[in-house]
């Protein structure tokens, strides 16, 4: 039995993860007609074969028709997705790897001419600098419909054999509500208090839980520090984290620091070549310490030594090594075989991000 901290199993609720290495959500833009078909399954099966413990599949699978596939996302709002999800989860499970999927509504983070050209909706009336759609200020019936869409999509993922889901809460509709920078609403979902800003994500979590029951794993990938004046501060981020933990309805926190509304801002969340390694690891550790929640995190942890430190130092429960697995999908097998020096390193050129 190995004593390597990275190779120790992790018990997440009822689910035993075989080690501490995961790939975080990233859309390889492989869907065909919005569906994760054979190529998609093969992509994740290869890492599963090599030993990854958890594949967080998709990137931003869309729960609603008015969240168009802005970078060829999986259309989680269509019933026909279920057999394709089953095909994907079977391919990953066959090799002992857990499979989850990220769900979202992108809100204003879109362009005007994607999908069915429906109006985009947001809690903000301002355009996102990176994508430029003019959002319609969201109305009560949109909120009600989208909460229901999240629950429907979660149910489809559960029907397709997923072990759980993760909600994307950075740069997308859920955190457009909870960030003071992108909430122009008044009333129960308005900008005046943190409780009101968090109401929409909390309503979504409640609706999902009611639909999928208590056994299915539900987590959040969220920004706990927007690192921008007027945005969510680290203190408020810790408060948000504690409130999420206190619901008892969330099974893990996947911590993000920063914003993605512009390309330069995104390099804080997905640091590129020449930037510091693991810049937000200690912050993720602070969230873990403050909440006692199972904590996941990825942001340029490109090498095994840093990943091992993250677990050994009690900063993370699961370490995301996402681009590292694009450079070499066989990292875990090479660790197990004592061949770390054979791992082809990710240099952070981020060609993968187009
Ligand atoms: C091509 C690509 C697509 C991505 N798409 C998403 C996404 O849809 N949702 C998400 O939460 N993160 C997305 N990410 C971010 C990754 O999950 C991860 O946080 C980021 O790559 C930093 O971790 P790493 O240094 O281990 O790669 C994407 C990353 C890449 C490279």
């Amino acid at each position: 039995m190995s004593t390597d901290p990275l190779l120790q199993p992790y018990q997440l609720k009822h689910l035993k993860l075989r080690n501490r290495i995961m790939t975080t959500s990233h859309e390889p833009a492989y869907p065909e007609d919005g569906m994760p078909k054979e190529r998609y399954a093969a992509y994740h099966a290869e890492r599963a074969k090599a030993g990854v413990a958890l594949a967080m599949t998709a990137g931003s699978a869309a729960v609603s028709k008015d969240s168009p596939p802005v970078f060829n996302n999986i259309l989680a709002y269509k019933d026909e997705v279920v057999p394709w999800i089953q095909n994907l989860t079977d391919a990953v499970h066959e090799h002992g790897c857990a499979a989850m999927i990220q769900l979202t509504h992108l809100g204003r983070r879109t362009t005007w001419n994607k999908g069915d050209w429906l109006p985009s909706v947001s809690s903000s009336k301002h355009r996102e600098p990176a994508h430029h759609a003019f959002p319609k200020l969201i109305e009560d019936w949109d909120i009600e419909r989208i909460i229901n869409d999240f629950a429907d999509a979660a149910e489809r993922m559960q029907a397709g054999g997923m072990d759980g889901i993760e909600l994307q809460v950075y740069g997308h509709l859920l955190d457009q509500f909870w960030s003071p920078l992108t909430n122009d609403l008044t009333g129960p979902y308005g900008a005046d208090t943190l409780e009101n800003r968090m109401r929409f994500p909390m309503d979504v979590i409640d609706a999902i839980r009611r639909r999928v029951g208590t056994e299915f794993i539900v987590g959040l990938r969220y920004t706990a520090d927007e690192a921008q004046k007027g945005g969510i501060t680290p203190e408020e981020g810790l408060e948000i984290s504690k409130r999420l933990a206190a619901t008892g309805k969330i099974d893990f926190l996947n911590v993000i620091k920063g914003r993605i509304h512009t390309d330069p801002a995104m390099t804080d969340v997905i640091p590129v070549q020449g930037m510091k390694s693991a810049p937000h690891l200690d912050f993720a550790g602070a969230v873990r310490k403050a909440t006692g929640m199972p904590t996941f995190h990825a942001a340029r942890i490109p090498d095994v030594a840093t990943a091992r430190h993250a677990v050994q130092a009690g900063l993370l429960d699961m370490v995301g090594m996402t681009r590292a697995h694009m450079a070499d999908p066989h990292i875990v097998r090479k660790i197990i075989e004592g061949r770390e020096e054979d791992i082809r390193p990710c240099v952070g050129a981020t060609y993968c991000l187009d």
Side-chain angles (χ1 to χ4, degrees):
M1 179 72 188
S2 168
T3 55
D4 187 339
L6 278 179
L7 298 181
Q8 302 312 305
Y10 182 65
Q11 193 68 39
L12 179 64
K13 217 170 175 174
H14 55 274
L15 184 69
K16 190 170 187 170
L17 301 171
R18 59 183 161 180
N19 59 55
R20 303 309 185 95
I21 298 180
M22 68 180 290
T23 50
T24 55
S25 186
H26 61 291
E27 183 46 73
Y30 285 164
E32 294 158 60
D33 309 318
M35 298 295 128
K37 299 191 177 176
E38 295 306 334
R39 186 182 184 202
Y40 213 105
Y43 178 72
H44 284 289
E46 193 60 26
R47 294 118 191 273
K49 253 186 244 170
V52 167
L54 167 61
M56 187 64 71
T57 66
S60 318
V63 302
S64 300
K65 213 175 177 185
D66 59 356
S67 178
V70 73
F71 44 93
N72 193 8
N73 313 74
I74 294 174
L75 306 182
Y77 56 81
K78 291 194 170 179
D79 287 337
E80 67 182 270
V81 80
V82 175
W84 291 114
I85 292 293
Q86 188 70 64
N87 189 50
L88 171 61
T89 53
D90 286 350
V92 171
H93 285 153
E94 191 186 334
H95 302 289
C97 179
M100 300 191 196
I101 186 163
Q102 184 180 71
L103 296 178
T104 196
H105 188 300
L106 283 94
R108 67 175 196 157
R109 186 172 170 77
T110 186
T111 46
W112 62 272
N113 59 352
K114 297 285 179 187
D116 296 322
W117 296 17
L118 294 169
S120 61
V121 292
S122 179
S123 50
S124 170
K125 58 188 175 199
H126 299 286
R127 294 191 294 170
E128 189 219 56
H131 290 83
H132 302 294
F134 285 100
K136 179 191 90 155
L137 205 53
I138 200 161
E139 295 174 76
D140 290 350
W141 48 86
D142 297 312
I143 293 175
E144 200 179 316
R145 168 178 57 83
I146 293 169
I147 290 171
N148 199 46
D149 286 348
F150 267 104
D152 285 348
E155 189 179 349
R156 286 185 196 103
M157 300 304 118
Q158 189 178 35
M162 285 285 171
D163 296 299
I165 58 159
E166 161 185 279
L167 301 176
Q168 165 145 1
V169 197
Y170 67 102
H172 291 194
L173 186 61
L174 289 168
D175 68 296
Q176 286 161 24
F177 274 77
W178 85 15
S179 168
L181 295 169
T182 47
N183 187 323
D184 297 319
L185 299 171
T186 53
Y189 296 96
D192 52 340
T193 64
L194 178 59
E195 189 181 356
N196 283 349
R197 283 189 274 125
M198 286 185 74
R199 192 178 307 284
F200 176 57
M202 290 296 202
D203 286 355
V204 166
I205 292 164
D206 283 345
I208 289 176
R209 260 299 163 225
R210 274 198 301 278
R211 194 72 70 83
V212 298
T214 52
E215 285 301 293
F216 194 59
I217 290 172
V218 178
L220 254 70
R221 189 169 208 208
Y222 68 108
T223 180
D225 175 4
E226 291 194 301
Q228 187 176 322
K229 196 161 178 266
I232 293 164
T233 60
E235 293 72 32
E236 191 174 58
L238 286 178
E239 178 58 28
I240 287 173
S241 307
K242 287 182 194 161
R243 290 190 191 191
L244 291 172
T247 63
K249 292 174 183 162
I250 297 295
D251 300 310
F252 67 84
L253 301 177
N254 190 348
V255 179
I256 292 282
K257 179 173 165 171
R259 302 186 74 204
I260 55 172
H261 64 307
T262 63
D263 287 351
M266 194 149 77
T267 62
D268 193 20
V269 176
I270 310 180
V272 298
Q273 193 165 33
M275 294 175 84
K276 206 174 148 191
S277 245
H280 312 314
L281 178 56
D282 289 333
F283 179 63
V287 171
R288 183 176 187 265
K289 195 166 169 210
T291 60
M293 287 289 286
T295 303
F296 306 174
H297 172 66
R300 197 158 153 77
I301 303 178
D303 60 288
V304 173
T306 309
R308 190 171 283 131
H309 160 74
V311 176
Q312 196 156 28
L315 301 171
L316 301 182
D317 297 291
M318 293 298 294
V319 187
M321 297 183 77
T322 301
R323 285 169 296 169
H325 276 84
M326 293 184 200
D328 188 342
H330 292 258
I331 292 175
V332 180
R333 186 166 58 77
K334 290 178 181 174
I335 299 173
I336 293 170
E337 292 172 0
R339 295 171 48 217
E340 280 172 38
E341 69 279 10
D342 289 346
I343 293 171
R344 184 169 64 168
C346 167
V347 295
T350 314
Y351 184 64
C352 53
L353 202 56
D354 188 19

